[in-house]
PDB file of all heavy atoms in Angstrom:
ATOM      1  N   MET I   1       0.845  -1.204   0.014  1.00 64.00           N
ATOM      2  CA  MET I   1       0.019   0.000  -0.004  1.00 64.00           C
ATOM      3  C   MET I   1       0.844   1.251  -0.003  1.00 64.00           C
ATOM      4  O   MET I   1       1.931   1.300   0.648  1.00 64.00           O
ATOM      5  CB  MET I   1      -0.909  -0.027   1.274  1.00 64.00           C
ATOM      6  CG  MET I   1      -1.817   1.248   1.359  1.00 64.00           C
ATOM      7  SD  MET I   1      -2.833   1.167   2.824  1.00 64.00           S
ATOM      8  CE  MET I   1      -3.643   2.753   2.708  1.00 64.00           C
ATOM      9  N   SER I   2       0.426   2.215  -0.745  1.00 83.00           N
ATOM     10  CA  SER I   2       1.168   3.499  -0.794  1.00 83.00           C
ATOM     11  C   SER I   2       1.320   4.106   0.572  1.00 83.00           C
ATOM     12  O   SER I   2       0.482   3.857   1.500  1.00 83.00           O
ATOM     13  CB  SER I   2       0.408   4.486  -1.731  1.00 83.00           C
ATOM     14  OG  SER I   2       0.960   5.773  -1.634  1.00 83.00           O
ATOM     15  N   GLN I   3       2.326   4.912   0.793  1.00 93.00           N
ATOM     16  CA  GLN I   3       2.490   5.598   2.022  1.00 93.00           C
ATOM     17  C   GLN I   3       1.726   6.919   2.182  1.00 93.00           C
ATOM     18  O   GLN I   3       1.861   7.624   3.159  1.00 93.00           O
ATOM     19  CB  GLN I   3       4.019   5.844   2.245  1.00 93.00           C
ATOM     20  CG  GLN I   3       4.810   4.611   2.431  1.00 93.00           C
ATOM     21  CD  GLN I   3       4.212   3.669   3.510  1.00 93.00           C
ATOM     22  OE1 GLN I   3       4.166   4.074   4.695  1.00 93.00           O
ATOM     23  NE2 GLN I   3       3.918   2.445   3.159  1.00 93.00           N
ATOM     24  N   THR I   4       0.940   7.243   1.148  1.00 97.00           N
ATOM     25  CA  THR I   4       0.058   8.373   1.166  1.00 97.00           C
ATOM     26  C   THR I   4      -1.357   7.929   0.838  1.00 97.00           C
ATOM     27  O   THR I   4      -1.574   6.938   0.216  1.00 97.00           O
ATOM     28  CB  THR I   4       0.503   9.512   0.187  1.00 97.00           C
ATOM     29  OG1 THR I   4       0.414   8.954  -1.124  1.00 97.00           O
ATOM     30  CG2 THR I   4       1.868   9.954   0.514  1.00 97.00           C
ATOM     31  N   ILE I   5      -2.319   8.682   1.384  1.00 97.00           N
ATOM     32  CA  ILE I   5      -3.692   8.467   1.062  1.00 97.00           C
ATOM     33  C   ILE I   5      -4.339   9.816   0.668  1.00 97.00           C
ATOM     34  O   ILE I   5      -3.778  10.860   0.907  1.00 97.00           O
ATOM     35  CB  ILE I   5      -4.477   7.865   2.295  1.00 97.00           C
ATOM     36  CG1 ILE I   5      -4.422   8.856   3.469  1.00 97.00           C
ATOM     37  CG2 ILE I   5      -3.917   6.497   2.646  1.00 97.00           C
ATOM     38  CD1 ILE I   5      -5.422   8.471   4.552  1.00 97.00           C
ATOM     39  N   ARG I   6      -5.599   9.828   0.181  1.00 98.00           N
ATOM     40  CA  ARG I   6      -6.277  11.074  -0.055  1.00 98.00           C
ATOM     41  C   ARG I   6      -7.108  11.410   1.165  1.00 98.00           C
ATOM     42  O   ARG I   6      -7.727  10.560   1.774  1.00 98.00           O
ATOM     43  CB  ARG I   6      -7.116  10.941  -1.312  1.00 98.00           C
ATOM     44  CG  ARG I   6      -6.345  10.776  -2.608  1.00 98.00           C
ATOM     45  CD  ARG I   6      -7.287  10.937  -3.787  1.00 98.00           C
ATOM     46  NE  ARG I   6      -8.353   9.888  -3.756  1.00 98.00           N
ATOM     47  CZ  ARG I   6      -9.465  10.000  -4.438  1.00 98.00           C
ATOM     48  NH1 ARG I   6      -9.772  11.114  -5.116  1.00 98.00           N
ATOM     49  NH2 ARG I   6     -10.384   9.004  -4.324  1.00 98.00           N
ATOM     50  N   ALA I   7      -7.194  12.676   1.380  1.00 98.00           N
ATOM     51  CA  ALA I   7      -7.995  13.175   2.566  1.00 98.00           C
ATOM     52  C   ALA I   7      -8.415  14.565   2.234  1.00 98.00           C
ATOM     53  O   ALA I   7      -7.838  15.276   1.461  1.00 98.00           O
ATOM     54  CB  ALA I   7      -7.153  13.114   3.884  1.00 98.00           C
ATOM     55  N   VAL I   8      -9.496  15.029   2.955  1.00 98.00           N
ATOM     56  CA  VAL I   8      -9.942  16.400   2.889  1.00 98.00           C
ATOM     57  C   VAL I   8      -8.984  17.306   3.793  1.00 98.00           C
ATOM     58  O   VAL I   8      -8.724  16.916   4.929  1.00 98.00           O
ATOM     59  CB  VAL I   8     -11.365  16.590   3.290  1.00 98.00           C
ATOM     60  CG1 VAL I   8     -11.823  18.038   3.329  1.00 98.00           C
ATOM     61  CG2 VAL I   8     -12.267  15.736   2.377  1.00 98.00           C
ATOM     62  N   ASP I   9      -8.536  18.380   3.220  1.00 97.00           N
ATOM     63  CA  ASP I   9      -7.702  19.329   3.968  1.00 97.00           C
ATOM     64  C   ASP I   9      -8.381  20.682   3.882  1.00 97.00           C
ATOM     65  O   ASP I   9      -9.348  20.929   3.113  1.00 97.00           O
ATOM     66  CB  ASP I   9      -6.304  19.357   3.485  1.00 97.00           C
ATOM     67  CG  ASP I   9      -5.303  19.809   4.532  1.00 97.00           C
ATOM     68  OD1 ASP I   9      -5.773  20.334   5.574  1.00 97.00           O
ATOM     69  OD2 ASP I   9      -4.113  19.666   4.250  1.00 97.00           O
ATOM     70  N   ILE I  10      -7.794  21.657   4.592  1.00 97.00           N
ATOM     71  CA  ILE I  10      -8.320  23.055   4.630  1.00 97.00           C
ATOM     72  C   ILE I  10      -7.145  23.988   4.275  1.00 97.00           C
ATOM     73  O   ILE I  10      -6.136  24.020   4.941  1.00 97.00           O
ATOM     74  CB  ILE I  10      -8.800  23.432   6.061  1.00 97.00           C
ATOM     75  CG1 ILE I  10      -9.822  22.399   6.514  1.00 97.00           C
ATOM     76  CG2 ILE I  10      -9.454  24.786   5.974  1.00 97.00           C
ATOM     77  CD1 ILE I  10     -10.172  22.505   8.002  1.00 97.00           C
ATOM     78  N   ARG I  11      -7.350  24.727   3.164  1.00 96.00           N
ATOM     79  CA  ARG I  11      -6.285  25.651   2.791  1.00 96.00           C
ATOM     80  C   ARG I  11      -6.096  26.684   3.879  1.00 96.00           C
ATOM     81  O   ARG I  11      -7.050  27.341   4.315  1.00 96.00           O
ATOM     82  CB  ARG I  11      -6.651  26.362   1.454  1.00 96.00           C
ATOM     83  CG  ARG I  11      -6.589  25.432   0.219  1.00 96.00           C
ATOM     84  CD  ARG I  11      -6.956  26.197  -1.053  1.00 96.00           C
ATOM     85  NE  ARG I  11      -6.914  25.261  -2.181  1.00 96.00           N
ATOM     86  CZ  ARG I  11      -8.052  24.621  -2.614  1.00 96.00           C
ATOM     87  NH1 ARG I  11      -9.134  24.839  -2.014  1.00 96.00           N
ATOM     88  NH2 ARG I  11      -7.924  23.850  -3.646  1.00 96.00           N
ATOM     89  N   GLY I  12      -4.881  26.901   4.312  1.00 95.00           N
ATOM     90  CA  GLY I  12      -4.529  27.782   5.344  1.00 95.00           C
ATOM     91  C   GLY I  12      -4.811  27.323   6.728  1.00 95.00           C
ATOM     92  O   GLY I  12      -4.641  28.057   7.704  1.00 95.00           O
ATOM     93  N   GLY I  13      -5.240  26.045   6.887  1.00 93.00           N
ATOM     94  CA  GLY I  13      -5.485  25.517   8.186  1.00 93.00           C
ATOM     95  C   GLY I  13      -6.901  25.677   8.657  1.00 93.00           C
ATOM     96  O   GLY I  13      -7.508  24.776   9.274  1.00 93.00           O
ATOM     97  N   THR I  14      -7.477  26.832   8.483  1.00 96.00           N
ATOM     98  CA  THR I  14      -8.923  27.111   8.810  1.00 96.00           C
ATOM     99  C   THR I  14      -9.400  28.041   7.734  1.00 96.00           C
ATOM    100  O   THR I  14      -8.683  28.765   7.049  1.00 96.00           O
ATOM    101  CB  THR I  14      -9.105  27.801  10.180  1.00 96.00           C
ATOM    102  OG1 THR I  14      -8.430  29.032  10.183  1.00 96.00           O
ATOM    103  CG2 THR I  14      -8.519  26.938  11.277  1.00 96.00           C
ATOM    104  N   GLY I  15     -10.738  28.105   7.582  1.00 96.00           N
ATOM    105  CA  GLY I  15     -11.320  29.004   6.539  1.00 96.00           C
ATOM    106  C   GLY I  15     -12.727  28.698   6.184  1.00 96.00           C
ATOM    107  O   GLY I  15     -13.365  27.820   6.788  1.00 96.00           O
ATOM    108  N   PRO I  16     -13.222  29.453   5.233  1.00 97.00           N
ATOM    109  CA  PRO I  16     -14.636  29.272   4.755  1.00 97.00           C
ATOM    110  C   PRO I  16     -14.786  27.978   4.012  1.00 97.00           C
ATOM    111  O   PRO I  16     -13.805  27.186   3.790  1.00 97.00           O
ATOM    112  CB  PRO I  16     -14.867  30.475   3.875  1.00 97.00           C
ATOM    113  CG  PRO I  16     -13.528  30.846   3.334  1.00 97.00           C
ATOM    114  CD  PRO I  16     -12.544  30.555   4.429  1.00 97.00           C
ATOM    115  N   VAL I  17     -16.042  27.653   3.598  1.00 97.00           N
ATOM    116  CA  VAL I  17     -16.305  26.408   2.994  1.00 97.00           C
ATOM    117  C   VAL I  17     -15.499  26.183   1.747  1.00 97.00           C
ATOM    118  O   VAL I  17     -15.084  25.026   1.483  1.00 97.00           O
ATOM    119  CB  VAL I  17     -17.855  26.296   2.655  1.00 97.00           C
ATOM    120  CG1 VAL I  17     -18.262  27.356   1.670  1.00 97.00           C
ATOM    121  CG2 VAL I  17     -18.210  24.990   2.229  1.00 97.00           C
ATOM    122  N   ASP I  18     -15.155  27.240   0.981  1.00 97.00           N
ATOM    123  CA  ASP I  18     -14.418  27.025  -0.243  1.00 97.00           C
ATOM    124  C   ASP I  18     -12.955  26.642   0.019  1.00 97.00           C
ATOM    125  O   ASP I  18     -12.240  26.331  -0.959  1.00 97.00           O
ATOM    126  CB  ASP I  18     -14.436  28.306  -1.083  1.00 97.00           C
ATOM    127  CG  ASP I  18     -15.757  28.574  -1.720  1.00 97.00           C
ATOM    128  OD1 ASP I  18     -16.516  27.558  -1.896  1.00 97.00           O
ATOM    129  OD2 ASP I  18     -16.161  29.757  -1.954  1.00 97.00           O
TER     130      ASP I  18
END
Side-chain angles (χ1 to χ4, degrees):
M1 179 179 175
S2 170
Q3 295 307 301
T4 62
I5 63 168
R6 292 189 302 159
V8 175
D9 203 351
I10 308 167
R11 292 185 181 88
T14 61
V17 64
D18 289 332

